[in-house]
Amino acid sequence: MPLSAEQIQINYLRIQEKIHQTALKCGRKPDEIRIVVVTKSQPLEVIKAAIEAGIRSFGENYPEEAVGKINAIRDVEGVEWHMIGHLQSRKAKLVSTYFDWMHSLDSVRIAEKLERLLAEQNRSLKVLLEFNIGGEISKYGWSASNPSRWFELLPEIEQIQRCPHLQICGLMTMPPLSTTLEEAQGYFRKLRLLRDFLQERLSSLNLTELSMGTSADFPAAILEGATMVRIGQAILGPRDYSRG
Ligand SMILES: *Cc1c(COP(=O)(O)O)cnc(C)c1O
């Protein structure tokens, strides 16, 4: 059974409260942290319930799945769509047309493809650079587990800076599955340090955003400076993959 708008609102308020407390605990301003509500594999009725509960920022992993939902609620004011999953080149057109944010930019090739498509449509896209901080082999994002090699990342980021329709706003990571909270916090800290490293060397950039933390570990991410947390199940309930 999908959750009701009332239940979604209760969950949303509870998460907002936890974010608030965690921010105050570490001397941060609660309003600099935004919640992206992850709707992948949730049916349209859940998104409509989320709208009723006052939610306006949504995250999706698969552009094809997202487009139907985006079109269905296109008349609702103030809605923002965030692409958070790995993007295959042939789906780039959908992202350039329908999304406001792309958290999962992970190659120069995709950046340049998005740039061409955005230029054609006279649109721009806010992007975050995705890094693989945990060093797993089967993971997307630029490999960044070894700080002594971080300088090797600079040339590719400089190439992406030359795409005028991409606005580079910060960094994103997803820690390895099955890490402890303590380990996750270590990965989040490392992403923040990587941000500081890049910011110092690429001073024309404004790397203010850190997209990190999910239902399982968002307080740890906030302690390490997250400005965007990507939360699905803790607000919308379990995903129902049987509905496709
Ligand atoms: C699914 C997903 C989330 C949300 O996970 P929950 O456990 O539902 O909070 C966050 N980020 C990414 C990249 C995801 O794929």
Side-chain angles (χ1 to χ4, degrees):
M1 270 291 284
L3 298 190
S4 66
E6 288 74 20
Q7 189 57 53
I8 288 172
Q9 188 163 40
I10 290 167
N11 293 343
Y12 189 52
L13 291 173
R14 194 175 289 144
I15 298 285
Q16 280 179 321
E17 195 179 314
K18 181 73 182 165
I19 288 174
H20 199 96
Q21 288 167 353
T22 310
L24 294 183
K25 193 164 104 185
C26 60
R28 299 187 57 203
K29 293 200 198 83
D31 62 5
E32 71 188 26
I33 300 152
R34 66 168 109 188
I35 307 174
V36 175
V37 176
V38 178
T39 48
K40 64 166 174 243
S41 83
Q42 294 283 4
L44 184 57
E45 56 195 304
V46 167
I47 308 217
K48 288 186 169 162
I51 292 277
E52 232 180 285
I55 294 167
R56 293 292 180 274
S57 291
F58 296 104
E60 283 278 343
N61 294 58
Y62 306 102
E64 272 165 335
E65 180 190 332
V67 167
K69 302 175 187 177
I70 294 172
N71 279 327
I73 60 160
R74 66 190 314 161
D75 294 335
V76 180
E77 290 235 7
V79 173
E80 219 176 54
W81 287 92
H82 298 247
M83 170 66 181
I84 63 170
H86 173 69
L87 178 59
Q88 294 170 288
S89 178
R90 65 200 157 84
K91 310 281 173 62
K93 178 78 187 276
L94 294 177
V95 171
S96 71
T97 307
Y98 289 98
F99 284 81
D100 306 291
W101 286 83
M102 160 93 178
H103 292 226
S104 44
L105 185 61
D106 60 5
S107 74
V108 172
R109 192 174 64 94
I110 288 286
E112 289 178 343
K113 176 138 195 195
L114 284 169
E115 170 60 28
R116 278 196 303 280
L117 293 161
L118 289 161
E120 280 168 22
Q121 301 172 80
N122 198 21
R123 269 189 111 231
S124 73
L125 183 67
K126 297 191 187 82
V127 300
L128 306 177
L129 308 171
E130 180 173 0
F131 293 96
N132 174 357
I133 291 288
E136 299 151 287
I137 300 188
S138 63
K139 196 77 183 275
Y140 296 114
W142 281 277
S143 171
S145 54
N146 181 355
S148 68
R149 300 186 64 171
W150 281 352
F151 70 92
E152 293 173 9
L153 299 165
L154 295 168
E156 295 207 354
I157 299 173
E158 282 165 348
Q159 252 176 294
I160 296 171
Q161 276 189 279
R162 292 196 277 273
C163 297
H165 297 81
L166 297 180
Q167 192 184 335
I168 305 174
C169 299
L171 279 57
M172 181 272 219
T173 199
M174 186 81 179
L177 290 176
S178 77
T179 40
T180 65
L181 265 182
E182 232 172 20
E183 287 166 338
Q185 188 166 342
Y187 293 127
F188 297 144
R189 181 173 315 136
K190 209 157 155 188
L191 191 74
R192 172 165 54 80
L193 294 173
L194 172 60
R195 187 271 306 276
D196 296 346
F197 174 93
L198 296 173
Q199 182 63 70
E200 196 175 310
R201 285 157 185 84
L202 302 166
S203 53
S204 60
L205 283 181
N206 235 331
L207 299 173
T208 51
E209 304 294 338
L210 287 174
S211 168
M212 54 192 197
T214 66
S215 295
D217 52 21
F218 70 91
I222 289 168
L223 292 175
E224 296 301 337
T227 59
M228 296 172 127
V229 292
R230 308 179 308 266
I231 299 182
Q233 305 184 72
I235 294 173
L236 302 178
R239 288 182 272 277
D240 182 359
Y241 289 108
S242 67
R243 309 169 65 124

